[in-house]
């Protein structure tokens, strides 16, 4: 057993839930601290993000590079596929979960009255200490006001709302169909993309009233899976699928990514490079407008760098897997 890893976060944070599930599956010991307690007692990162990991006392954020660091430092029960082509496909789906599906999480949580009320009344209680009625009401209002003001930053607004909600409904149907025949996205063994989608679904399918009701109606397998993935410590690692012969249900999911997230990545990167004040494009035949997001431009660069580092054979397998999905434009 290695020394436990300290992780600070909140159950209401999809990225905290993502990383706790990774640690459980990999059987890595950890100490979990509510974020308020960590902020009062531990060094803080330059940008306050959830979760925060502490490696030798140094605060580190951003779940994707943390997963890769854990892969390098701990050999047992890896989650990144050994096949370089499948690892690229996994990275693309993980990025979709982290950066596109989170728009649905944020949109539903802070756009609907019942969802706002539940979050304002529940989430503050997870920050680290007991709250009396007055303190809970005050903290809940402050938190809700701050998050609602950030809706435009993450891309949720009256123009984009219908696109986000249509995409979430389709994803539920696609995942439910896939889980009818497969235990995880890439076969019989979990990968980072599973944990990324799981993290968002802990909120969408299991907590926030409006998207939770949709999940129960459209995708009962997704609801069950979102509970199951929380603790995979008892799973015996088996095999991932072959990048040269992806299940049709996974190809359909890649088609949804190509339909929504791929065009946003391209339009956002162009806006960031041009120094534009707004991203304006079409997604799924509907208008999309939001402020440019420099971090997602970095995500696109990271995916392209990953692809460029593959040898010709692996690139050919990726190209064949993505052909016709709409995702191929990311690597053209």
């Amino acid at each position: 057993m290695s020394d436990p890893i300290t992780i600070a976060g909140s159950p209401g944070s999809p990225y905290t839930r993502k990383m706790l599930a990774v640690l459980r599956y990999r059987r890595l010991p950890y100490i979990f601290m509510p974020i308020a307690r960590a902020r009062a007692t531990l060094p803080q990162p330059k940008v306050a993000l959830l979760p925060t990991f502490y490696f030798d006392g140094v605060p580190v954020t951003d779940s994707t590079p943390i997963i890769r660091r854990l892969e390098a430092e701990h050999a047992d029960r890896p989650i990144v596929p050994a096949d370089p082509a499948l690892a690229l496909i996994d990275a693309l789906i993980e990025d979709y979960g982290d950066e596109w599906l989170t728009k649905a999480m944020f949109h539903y949580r802070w756009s609907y009255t019942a969802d706002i009320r539940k979050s304002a009344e529940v989430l503050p209680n997870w920050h680290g200490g007991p709250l009396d009625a007055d303190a809970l009401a005050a903290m809940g209002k402050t938190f809700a006001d701050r998050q609602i003001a950030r809706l435009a930053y993450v891309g949720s607004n009256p123009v984009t709302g219908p696109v986000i909600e249509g995409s979430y409904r389709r994803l539920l149907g696609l995942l439910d169909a896939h889980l009818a025949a497969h235990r995880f996205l890439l076969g019989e063994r979990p990968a980072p993309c599973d944990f990324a989608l799981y993290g968002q679904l802990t909120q969408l399918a299991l907590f926030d009233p409006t998207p939770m009701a949709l999940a129960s109606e459209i995708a009962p397998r997704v609801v069950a899976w979102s509970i199951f993935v929380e603790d995979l410590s008892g799973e015996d690692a088996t095999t991932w699928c072959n990048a040269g012969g992806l299940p049709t249900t996974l190809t359909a999911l890649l088609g949804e990514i190509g339909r929504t997230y791929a065009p946003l990545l391209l339009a956002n990167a162009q806006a960031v490079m041009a120094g534009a004040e707004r991203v304006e494009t079409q997604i799924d035949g509907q208008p999309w407008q939001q402020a440019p997001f420099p971090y997602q431009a970095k995500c696109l660069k990271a995916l392209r760098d990953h692809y460029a580092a593959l040898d010709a054979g692996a690139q050919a397998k990726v190209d064949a897997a993505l052909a016709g999905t709409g995702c191929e434009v990311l690597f053209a």
Side-chain angles (χ1 to χ4, degrees):
M1 273 293 195
S2 58
D3 292 335
I5 300 166
T6 297
I7 173 174
S10 168
S13 154
Y15 303 101
T16 299
R17 301 288 286 274
K18 171 188 177 181
M19 295 307 297
L20 287 174
V22 168
L23 293 173
R24 293 188 190 108
Y25 172 74
R26 299 210 58 203
R27 299 175 184 164
L28 297 176
Y30 65 88
I31 297 169
F32 177 72
M33 293 185 67
I35 188 60
R37 190 182 309 162
R39 287 173 177 166
T41 60
L42 296 175
Q44 292 305 296
K46 293 180 179 178
V47 180
L49 296 174
L50 300 183
T52 299
F53 274 60
Y54 289 86
F55 294 106
D56 297 323
V58 178
V60 179
T61 61
D62 199 337
S63 63
T64 297
I66 290 173
I67 285 176
R68 275 63 184 175
R69 175 170 180 165
L70 294 175
E71 292 282 299
E73 295 180 355
H74 302 276
D76 292 342
R77 297 170 66 83
I79 61 173
V80 175
D83 176 0
L86 191 62
L88 184 283
I89 294 168
D90 166 71
L92 172 60
I93 303 173
E94 181 190 11
D95 198 57
Y96 163 82
D98 285 345
E99 301 298 326
W100 174 267
L101 189 53
T102 197
K103 295 181 186 300
M105 191 284 295
F106 212 88
H107 167 79
Y108 281 110
R109 175 166 289 177
W110 302 112
S111 297
Y112 286 87
T113 301
D115 303 71
I116 293 169
R117 182 173 62 249
K118 182 176 181 181
S119 290
E121 292 175 350
V122 174
L123 297 186
N125 294 288
W126 284 333
H127 274 241
L131 299 169
D132 63 26
D134 290 341
L136 176 58
M139 189 172 178
K141 183 179 186 307
T142 298
F143 186 66
D145 289 346
R146 182 172 68 246
Q147 297 300 88
I148 291 169
R150 293 186 67 241
L151 276 172
Y153 180 71
V154 299
S156 169
N157 55 60
V159 173
T160 63
V163 181
I164 292 170
E165 294 192 9
S167 177
Y168 174 62
R169 285 175 172 270
R170 290 193 303 272
L171 174 66
L172 288 174
L174 292 167
L175 276 181
D176 203 64
H178 180 78
L179 293 171
H182 306 279
R183 300 187 72 228
F184 301 104
L185 291 175
L186 303 184
E188 302 307 303
R189 180 173 177 172
C193 63
D194 291 283
F195 295 108
L197 267 66
Y198 154 80
Q200 304 299 328
L201 289 166
T202 61
Q203 314 303 310
L204 286 160
L206 303 180
F207 182 83
D208 294 308
T210 302
M212 184 169 63
L214 289 171
S216 297
E217 174 189 348
I218 297 171
R221 294 183 188 90
V222 173
V223 175
W225 185 82
S226 301
I227 297 170
F228 171 66
V229 175
E230 180 175 12
D231 190 346
L232 298 176
S233 59
E235 283 293 297
D236 291 324
T238 54
T239 58
W240 288 295
C241 62
N242 188 330
L246 299 180
T248 56
T249 49
L250 184 61
T251 301
L253 174 60
L254 290 169
E256 175 62 23
I257 296 171
R259 181 177 181 173
T260 54
Y261 187 47
L264 174 62
L265 275 179
L266 295 177
N268 177 73
Q270 291 170 357
V272 170
M273 289 180 63
E277 294 184 357
R278 295 190 66 77
V279 178
E280 297 193 19
T281 189
Q282 293 273 321
I283 294 180
D284 194 27
Q286 300 178 71
W288 182 278
Q289 299 175 2
Q290 71 166 85
F293 197 179
Y295 181 80
Q296 288 182 351
K298 293 180 181 179
C299 292
L300 176 58
K301 183 180 185 303
L303 288 170
R304 286 176 164 172
D305 288 347
H306 189 164
Y307 178 85
L310 299 177
D311 63 30
Q315 286 186 354
K317 286 205 291 185
V318 170
D319 293 344
L322 299 184
T325 65
C327 294
E328 63 271 32
V329 299
L330 297 173
F331 308 107

